[in-house]
Amino acid sequence: MRNTASHILHVAQPVEGGVARVVTDLAAAQLAAGLRVTVACPVGGTLTDALRSAGCTVVRWDATRSPGPGLPYEVRQLARLMRAVRPDLVHAHSAKAGLAVRLAVRGRRPTVFQPHAWSFEAAEGLVARSALGWERFGARWATRVVCVSEAERRTGERHGITATWRVVPNGVGTGRFRPDGDRAMSGAGPLVVCVGRLCRQKGQDVLLAAWPEVVRRMPGARLVLVGDGPDADRLRRDAPASVTFAGAARSTAAWYRAADVVVLPSRWEGMALAPLEAMACGRPVVVTDVDGARESLPPGRAPSCLVPSEDPAALARALTTLLRDEPLRVALGAEGRAHVLASHALRHVTDAVTDVYRELLGVATAPVVGPNEGRKCITT
């Protein structure tokens, strides 16, 4: 009997930021490896265009970012999509897609859930308790829960979520993110760059609170916030003249290469892509000492690279220390690049996720014939 490639359905919401980049990278790599890949997601954001550029089949799934009164319709729509697409395995990305997929599938086919940071950490009070209660219950309908860091897995276990876990740290394309030495965007004065969605999770408000002290110690220093999000207007109101809001960028590599230091002052993370991308570009990073973020740094990380969360004074000291010490920045940049090449190259991620699929589908690898000859794929 002729072997046929397994069909993977990725379901994603949100459709921008780190989750969109992870889904795009996985889909592109799996297509190149000979798998059949379809992605269901809402319109908007950057995800649909990026997927279609990679040659991926995209189907529309109308879903809001957070649970609401439209959830029953979203689940029914997703169930209809699955009957039409007929995937062998479903991979749900982030809390909203994970909620809808597990309600639609209910364990009737192999299901991978990837939280990309737990939803209950982003909420408070009744909302947080409800989100945690769902994750405890819904774990029974995930054949595997894939976490992007050991810390994310431990957080799930600590909160009473019983699952079959797999940890697959995030990875980045080290060809796309590389130290080209192009500083054309840097201009005059030291430059600090923060890439991330403008929201409470990413902590740009803490960075803006720290920034006047950085400028006092380093006159002429400039800060660029790359990204968009719900806190954009509020953050702009509080920002001094030395801060630039660059908006969402289709490609962030040029901003990393222009920076003297890249910073991500998150309140919580699964494992953010921005520090990995910056290190791949040979730039030193400063991150907060929260789950996932600390795990992205090289072992034996320099104290100047890790600061307490929600501590503007400590953040200002760390940024100033690095801006004043060029040899340290160069050394940390080289160390970070080597760390990403060894532990966070994109191929490591795609291979590890493929191994998860292989386990769940109970299949072996076989050579792909035709244009992709010499690669491997999962076959049934």
Side-chain angles (χ1 to χ4, degrees):
M1 181 181 295
R2 180 181 178 273
N3 287 335
T4 58
S6 296
H7 190 179
I8 309 302
L9 174 65
H10 293 274
V11 183
Q13 169 61 297
V15 292
E16 69 276 318
V19 172
R21 293 201 297 279
V22 168
V23 174
T24 301
D25 287 340
L26 279 175
Q30 290 163 3
L31 284 169
L35 295 172
R36 296 172 59 205
V37 180
T38 300
V39 178
C41 63
V43 297
T46 60
L47 182 56
T48 298
D49 288 344
L51 289 167
R52 287 179 174 154
S53 296
C56 184
T57 300
V58 182
V59 294
R60 178 172 175 170
W61 173 49
D62 296 318
T64 60
R65 190 176 178 112
S66 300
L71 179 62
Y73 166 76
E74 295 166 356
V75 173
R76 289 194 301 270
Q77 184 190 22
L78 193 55
R80 288 195 299 270
L81 285 173
M82 289 189 195
R83 288 194 293 271
V85 172
R86 298 173 62 86
D88 297 301
L89 180 147
V90 186
H91 188 156
H93 297 267
S94 232
K96 179 58 183 291
L99 170 62
V101 163
R102 285 177 286 175
L103 287 173
V105 177
R106 300 193 183 195
R108 290 187 291 266
R109 70 183 71 216
T111 301
V112 175
F113 170 49
Q114 192 164 353
H116 298 280
W118 293 107
S119 58
F120 52 82
E121 292 190 294
E124 297 177 345
L126 179 61
V127 174
R129 292 193 295 273
S130 298
L132 176 57
W134 156 252
E135 292 298 350
R136 288 171 175 166
F137 179 84
R140 71 194 62 196
W141 290 328
T143 326
R144 293 288 185 278
V145 176
V146 173
C147 293
V148 295
S149 65
E150 286 288 350
E152 186 178 58
R153 179 189 61 77
R154 288 194 298 268
T155 296
E157 289 184 332
R158 188 170 65 249
H159 284 83
I161 298 171
T162 301
T164 303
W165 308 93
R166 180 63 60 85
V167 176
V168 180
N170 276 338
V172 298
T174 54
R176 185 187 346 159
F177 295 99
R178 62 186 186 275
D180 276 355
D182 178 9
R183 306 298 298 280
M185 299 173 66
S186 60
L191 178 63
V192 175
V193 171
C194 177
V195 175
R197 188 166 185 259
L198 302 182
C199 61
R200 183 175 180 274
Q201 176 193 358
K202 299 298 182 180
Q204 290 96 345
D205 57 324
V206 181
L207 177 56
L208 290 178
W211 190 246
E213 179 62 15
V214 176
V215 174
R216 187 185 71 80
R217 298 184 185 189
M218 295 288 298
R222 295 166 301 126
L223 171 63
V224 175
L225 301 182
V226 181
D228 205 350
D231 290 355
D233 290 342
R234 179 177 62 82
L235 293 170
R236 284 190 178 95
R237 286 196 300 269
D238 297 335
S242 57
V243 177
T244 299
F245 288 78
R250 184 170 294 274
S251 174
T252 54
W255 282 114
Y256 294 129
R257 289 193 283 264
D260 293 292
V261 178
V262 175
V263 59
L264 190 66
S266 307
R267 289 181 166 89
W268 68 89
E269 287 290 350
M271 178 175 282
L273 289 177
L276 299 176
E277 293 169 348
M279 288 188 289
C281 290
R283 293 294 178 259
V285 299
V286 173
V287 301
T288 42
D289 191 8
V290 297
D291 286 357
R294 74 174 73 89
E295 208 168 312
S296 67
L297 296 179
R301 53 196 170 266
S304 56
C305 294
L306 199 62
V307 299
S309 177
E310 300 195 72
D311 189 336
L315 185 57
R317 286 193 299 271
L319 292 173
T320 303
T321 296
L322 287 178
L323 291 175
R324 285 176 170 171
D325 193 336
E326 183 176 3
L328 178 59
R329 294 200 306 272
V330 171
L332 290 174
E335 179 187 45
R337 170 74 178 175
H339 171 63
V340 171
L341 288 172
S343 302
H344 294 283
L346 185 58
R347 67 181 183 277
H348 300 328
V349 178
T350 56
D351 287 350
V353 172
T354 298
D355 286 343
V356 173
Y357 295 172
R358 183 183 299 115
E359 291 174 6
L360 301 188
L361 295 172
V363 296
T365 57
V368 176
V369 297
N372 292 324
E373 189 172 358
R375 295 181 182 273
K376 298 283 188 178
C377 74
I378 296 177
T379 57
T380 57

